[in-house]
């Protein structure tokens, strides 16, 4: 547990000022949250990055592993059959491995989004038999999902080493 007298404060990074369009705003906020949660995990040593500080078992590496699955499901059409399992990284996975997979999923998701000019159109993902949500809904859901877990990560990181800020 961190010392109660030690607090590492990073400069708080405000949300970005994006372009005026709805698409630019949604994508800008989502990318901001994606960067924020990756920064919360980056640099946390083993075993603290996997240590659950709350009764649910939630840990930093598991949160990022879960968000990788969510990105891949939403934008790339991956079929996830066991969502609770996505909250745990494999024992052999290092922090660098999970961060790299997350950043790759975000990059691939952004490539898909580059081709999405109509927020009302369905997200173009290959998932037979399941209707795709609109691009607007997908972006809004990903902002909610990423923001929710970034908040969890804020608390977990502070409990680990006192680091606060985005």
């Amino acid at each position: 547990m961190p010392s109660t007298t030690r607090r590492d404060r990073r400069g708080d990074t405000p949300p970005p000022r994006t372009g005026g369009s709805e698409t630019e705003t949604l994508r800008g906020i989502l990318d901001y949250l994606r960067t924020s949660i990756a920064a919360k995990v980056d640099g946390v040593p083993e075993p603290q990055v996997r240590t659950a500080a709350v009764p649910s078992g939630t840990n930093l590496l598991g949160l990022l592993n879960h968000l990788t699955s969510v990105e891949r499901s939403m934008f790339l059409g991956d079929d996830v059959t066991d969502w609770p399992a996505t909250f745990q990284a494999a024992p052999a996975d290092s922090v660098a491995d999970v961060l790299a997979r997350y950043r790759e999923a975000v990059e691939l998701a952004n490539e898909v989004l580059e081709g999405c000019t109509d927020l009302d159109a369905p997200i173009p993902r290959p998932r037979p038999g399941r209707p795709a949500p609109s691009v607007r809904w997908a972006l809004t859901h990903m902002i909610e999902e990423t923001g929710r877990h970034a908040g969890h990560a804020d608390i977990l990181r502070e409990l680990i080493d006192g680091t606060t800020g985005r």
Side-chain angles (χ1 to χ4, degrees):
M1 284 293 162
S3 164
T4 56
T5 60
R6 181 178 162 241
R7 292 284 180 242
D8 293 329
R9 293 198 176 273
R10 290 187 287 172
D12 212 18
T13 305
R17 297 282 181 216
T18 60
S21 77
E22 184 180 5
T23 300
E24 290 170 318
T25 300
L26 292 171
R27 293 204 46 204
I29 296 295
L30 178 56
D31 281 337
Y32 165 74
L33 291 169
R34 288 164 163 170
T35 299
S36 294
I37 193 158
K40 287 293 178 181
V41 176
D42 198 12
V44 178
E46 294 280 358
Q48 291 91 343
V49 74
R50 294 175 194 275
T51 301
V54 293
S56 67
T58 303
N59 63 76
L60 282 173
L61 203 58
L63 285 174
L64 199 61
N65 193 68
H66 170 71
L67 284 172
T68 301
S69 296
V70 176
E71 290 275 354
R72 294 192 60 84
S73 174
M74 182 62 66
F75 298 116
L76 306 176
D78 286 10
D79 188 24
V80 178
T81 58
D82 186 359
W83 282 106
T86 67
F87 280 95
Q88 296 297 320
D93 286 342
S94 68
V95 174
D97 294 335
V98 176
L99 274 166
R101 279 198 304 273
Y102 180 69
R103 289 177 174 140
E104 177 188 37
V106 165
E107 184 178 322
L108 293 170
N110 280 338
E111 288 174 13
V112 168
L113 288 167
E114 285 300 317
C116 297
T117 57
D118 180 1
L119 290 174
D120 292 325
I123 195 82
R125 63 178 188 195
R127 191 180 280 172
R130 294 185 68 187
S134 71
V135 174
R136 179 181 290 104
W137 188 92
L139 286 168
T140 302
H141 173 66
M142 288 306 300
I143 289 168
E144 175 272 327
E145 182 83 6
T146 307
R148 177 178 184 227
H149 294 311
H152 296 147
D154 286 341
I155 293 166
L156 293 173
R157 181 66 189 258
E158 186 173 0
L159 288 170
I160 290 169
D161 64 8
T163 299
T164 62
R166 288 175 272 197

